[in-house]
Amino acid sequence: MTPVVLYLAQRLTALILAPLVIAHLVLILIAVEGGLTAAEILNRTQGSVGWGLFYGLFVAAAAVHAPIGLRNVIHEHTRWTGRSLDGAMLVLAVLLAGLGARAVLAVVGTP
Amino acid sequence: MTTATDSEGGTLAVEIWRGKDAGQFETYTVPQRANQTVLDVVTWIQRHAEPALAYRFACRVGVCGSCAMTVNGKPRWTCRTHVSKVAGEGALRIEPLRNLPRLKDLAVDMTPFFEKWQRAQGRFTPTRTRNDPLTTVSPQSAGRKAADAGIECINCAVCYSACDVVGWDDGYLGPAALNRAWTLVNDERDGDRAGVLKAASSGGGCHSCHTHGSCVEHCPVGINPTAGIAGLKRWSIVELLGGKLP
Ligand code: SF4
Ligand code: SF4
Ligand code: FES
């Protein structure tokens, strides 16, 4: 992937992430302030296509955004660069996507 | 403002880097003069105190771009920097430019700086011969205005020395080379503008810039490389979406 593709992907995912992060934080506040139990939360999320899409998009954007940024930071501040770094960042992306997908399924999947 | 006489008579304590990577500061006492530049001070030391002192200059009037050094921690063109502006309590500390290999004392090797101009394709590609008529370019066109804003670069490497990303990433082309690329992609006479954009947006190119503007702050001729680099980023995205850039 060329630098311009990575640059664009990182900016686009940042645009997606910004409102999602705020919504996520607001949700946490509402849940905590409202004293919702885990069971009550799951009641609302299980089987919900909307929450599935919301958190699915969140995970996908984070899985793209974080490795690109981390790759830049590592490249600038250490001697690690080249294919091995790209490979490691790809593994990180897959890991983030996998773990995130597992979490989303746990919240929206029906038992 | 310093008048013609108010700084006469005193002395300056001037610390100068002697050596290459290994070396030390040596302190010289230099008579203060009205309207004295930092380059005047260095020259005085070489002529009167330290004949072996290595430094570089040519025009003495801010045109050639060869006299840049680090003065009290900041990169500056020394021939146009008045001592009264930077010396504070009458003390000066002069070092070679940052981010370039040191040669001796205040002289650095500019090779990597100029090699990166070539890597960014910072050179004009002609399309006509001397027998063709001249191209008519409107000074009012948007492209010409953008090119004009960056064209007065004197290749002094002050911005290159001020850029942290250059310090972190050996491969980063740096503000001057990218500014030159920006003037070329805006120059309608250039025969390979697509090639310039490609070179300037490949690895170590415009997308590595953090937009923190240290280059703008230090450029002695008031060029804004950050704006040009942002322009390259925008242009590269347009070309990518248009299928013209891989
Ligand atoms: S704006 Fe870009 S080129 Fe200028 S100093 Fe900062 S990182 Fe370097
Ligand atoms: S952009 Fe300014 S600071 Fe950089 S090399 Fe050109 S004149 Fe010097
Ligand atoms: S000596 Fe030429 S710019 Fe300073």
Side-chain angles (χ1 to χ4, degrees):
Chain A
M1 258 183 268
T2 58
V4 53
V5 173
L6 293 173
Y7 177 84
L8 184 61
Q10 212 200 9
R11 266 45 184 192
L12 285 179
T13 50
L15 275 178
I16 296 170
L17 280 169
L20 295 187
V21 167
I22 292 172
H24 178 64
L25 292 176
V26 170
L27 278 173
I28 292 176
L29 279 179
I30 291 173
V32 172
E33 292 296 317
L36 290 183
T37 64
E40 284 167 326
I41 293 173
L42 282 177
N43 229 345
R44 289 165 166 81
T45 56
Q46 275 170 350
S48 158
V49 177
W51 287 124
L53 284 176
F54 180 93
Y55 280 111
L57 186 64
F58 200 134
V59 166
V64 171
H65 187 85
I68 299 175
L70 191 61
R71 178 175 170 273
N72 288 345
V73 173
I74 291 174
H75 174 69
E76 280 168 9
H77 293 282
T78 72
R79 300 190 156 270
W80 190 11
T81 180
R83 279 172 178 249
S84 65
L85 176 60
D86 294 350
M89 291 305 108
L90 210 60
V91 170
L92 177 67
V94 172
L95 201 70
L96 286 174
L99 290 173
R102 202 176 71 149
V104 175
L105 281 179
V107 174
V108 299
T110 39
Chain B
M1 231 191 93
T2 314
T3 63
T5 50
D6 67 2
S7 55
E8 295 274 2
T11 56
L12 290 162
V14 184
E15 286 178 282
I16 299 233
W17 181 259
R18 299 300 317 282
K20 199 177 171 183
D21 295 317
Q24 70 291 320
F25 285 99
E26 305 252 340
T27 306
Y28 304 90
T29 306
V30 179
Q32 213 160 8
R33 300 266 184 268
N35 301 319
Q36 195 174 23
T37 66
V38 175
L39 185 63
D40 291 337
V41 167
V42 175
T43 301
W44 188 95
I45 293 170
Q46 198 218 36
R47 292 202 181 149
H48 297 98
E50 189 58 75
L53 179 66
Y55 67 111
R56 195 187 280 125
F57 75 96
C59 72
R60 295 182 294 122
V61 288
V63 173
C64 71
S66 64
C67 66
M69 300 168 201
T70 305
V71 183
N72 287 2
K74 294 197 174 158
R76 295 181 180 276
W77 54 353
T78 54
C79 71
R80 295 287 298 270
T81 301
H82 279 236
V83 170
S84 56
K85 192 175 147 202
V86 288
E89 302 291 301
L92 275 178
R93 174 180 267 228
I94 310 174
E95 301 162 73
L97 278 184
R98 206 169 67 107
N99 295 342
L100 285 161
R102 294 177 174 194
L103 289 173
K104 179 176 184 283
D105 305 337
L106 302 173
V108 290
D109 180 2
M110 301 281 280
T111 310
F113 177 72
F114 289 116
E115 275 175 358
K116 287 178 182 180
W117 278 62
Q118 295 307 318
R119 256 182 57 210
Q121 201 175 317
R123 59 183 175 274
F124 184 70
T125 305
T127 53
R128 302 192 175 201
T129 70
R130 71 184 68 221
N131 304 315
D132 296 315
L134 294 174
T135 321
T136 323
V137 180
S138 162
Q140 263 70 51
S141 65
R144 195 57 238 168
K145 280 187 181 162
D148 281 346
I151 207 70
E152 297 291 346
C153 170
I154 59 169
N155 311 10
C156 65
V158 161
C159 56
Y160 189 85
S161 168
C163 175
D164 281 341
V165 179
V166 171
W168 297 330
D169 179 359
D170 269 354
Y172 178 44
L173 297 174
L178 290 170
N179 172 72
R180 178 66 184 130
W182 173 243
T183 63
L184 288 167
V185 297
N186 280 289
D187 187 341
E188 58 189 81
R189 300 165 307 153
D190 191 275
D192 188 23
R193 296 199 273 165
V196 177
L197 185 66
K198 196 165 165 228
S201 52
S202 55
C206 59
H207 303 99
S208 298
C209 167
H210 285 219
T211 324
H212 61 29
S214 187
C215 51
V216 187
E217 189 173 319
H218 292 89
C219 174
V221 296
I223 287 173
N224 184 340
T226 314
I229 295 169
L232 286 169
K233 288 177 182 168
R234 277 196 307 276
W235 204 316
S236 71
I237 285 172
V238 171
E239 296 291 272
L240 176 77
L241 299 178
K244 290 191 208 141
L245 209 65

